[in-house]
Amino acid sequence: PRIADLLDMRMKEYNLIPGKYAAVHLRALYGNRVHRDLQEVVELAVLGVNCASNLLPGAPIYFASDTSTAVVAAHSYAQMHDLPVVSVDGYNISSANKVDRIHLDKDPGWKTRNVSEFDSTFVDLYMLAQSKCVAYSNGGFGTFGSMLSYDGDCKMRFFKGKKKIRRCVWMSADRQRHNLELPQNVTSLDLEIS
């Protein structure tokens, strides 16, 4: 019930209808990576949002990532250009209210954590599964989310290994392409795993 209540509240708050929105998953700290450059995270977050807009033009976009910095970048981009991008973390992320992400493949103490510490992970997976289309980067989380989504064929991988493999720009509801400016005010919240 704890997660179901959170999901219901967020779906209503963001006016997300199952099967009627696109989603993005950006794994910024994949594999052995313990750090990623701030500007690269901003560019990847924007690329993910843009690719999702190409999959389902005009639809709201749910953004999920393993770093709060990427979520902030996606929301900064959305605010700059009045784009419909939402996350469970929403706009409550700041350096004073950092959301630590649990990496099961990197956290040796994951087995001893309180189960509620994993809530945001399951909420993100559920939100990917409730979307119609998913844009994703490295790792299996976004891939799995796209397989669970309403249309498993409506997917796009935008980053693979160490390379951007798509060059998406924002696509509006009328299917017009727009080269929008990147946010410049993003600060690093969690780009290192200690």
Side-chain angles (χ1 to χ4, degrees):
R2 178 182 77 251
I3 294 178
D5 292 343
L6 176 61
L7 290 168
D8 288 343
M9 181 179 72
R10 294 302 185 197
M11 294 287 278
K12 288 176 187 164
E13 178 182 349
Y14 296 138
N15 199 26
L16 295 177
I17 300 165
K20 302 288 185 189
Y21 65 92
V24 178
H25 180 258
L26 170 60
R27 178 77 192 260
L29 298 175
Y30 178 67
N32 294 326
R33 183 179 285 273
V34 294
H35 174 78
R36 185 174 293 278
D37 177 72
L38 174 63
Q39 187 60 34
E40 186 180 12
V41 171
V42 170
E43 291 172 7
L44 288 172
V46 167
L47 178 62
V49 167
N50 287 345
C51 288
S53 78
N54 285 229
L55 289 169
L56 203 57
I61 297 171
Y62 181 82
F63 187 90
S65 180
D66 63 340
T67 67
S68 294
T69 302
V71 176
V72 169
H75 282 280
S76 295
Y77 183 62
Q79 285 179 321
M80 280 178 65
H81 303 292
D82 195 27
L83 308 176
V85 177
V86 299
S87 298
V88 167
D89 298 323
Y91 299 93
N92 299 323
I93 297 172
S94 67
S95 56
N97 187 20
K98 182 178 126 177
V99 176
D100 289 320
R101 303 293 189 209
I102 300 171
H103 292 86
L104 295 176
D105 55 339
K106 296 179 182 186
D107 182 0
W110 70 270
K111 290 181 181 180
T112 60
R113 288 183 176 267
N114 185 311
V115 71
S116 66
E117 293 181 73
F118 296 95
D119 284 359
S120 65
T121 301
F122 293 114
V123 167
D124 280 344
L125 183 60
Y126 181 84
M127 297 299 287
L128 293 177
Q130 291 295 297
S131 71
K132 178 170 183 166
C133 304
V134 179
Y136 59 94
S137 65
N138 289 329
F141 193 83
T143 305
F144 186 47
S146 73
M147 292 172 14
L148 296 173
S149 70
Y150 273 62
D151 183 351
D153 292 327
C154 187
K155 62 186 176 187
M156 182 185 302
R157 187 166 187 180
F158 60 90
F159 188 74
K160 183 176 184 178
K162 296 179 181 180
K163 296 182 181 181
K164 296 174 189 171
I165 58 173
R166 299 286 183 169
R167 303 222 181 271
C168 303
V169 298
W170 179 262
M171 185 179 288
S172 56
D174 61 1
R175 304 191 75 76
Q176 297 296 312
R177 297 184 184 280
H178 305 273
N179 285 308
L180 303 177
E181 181 182 342
L182 292 173
Q184 302 299 317
N185 59 341
V186 178
T187 58
S188 176
L189 299 178
D190 60 353
L191 291 178
E192 289 191 33
I193 293 178
S194 42

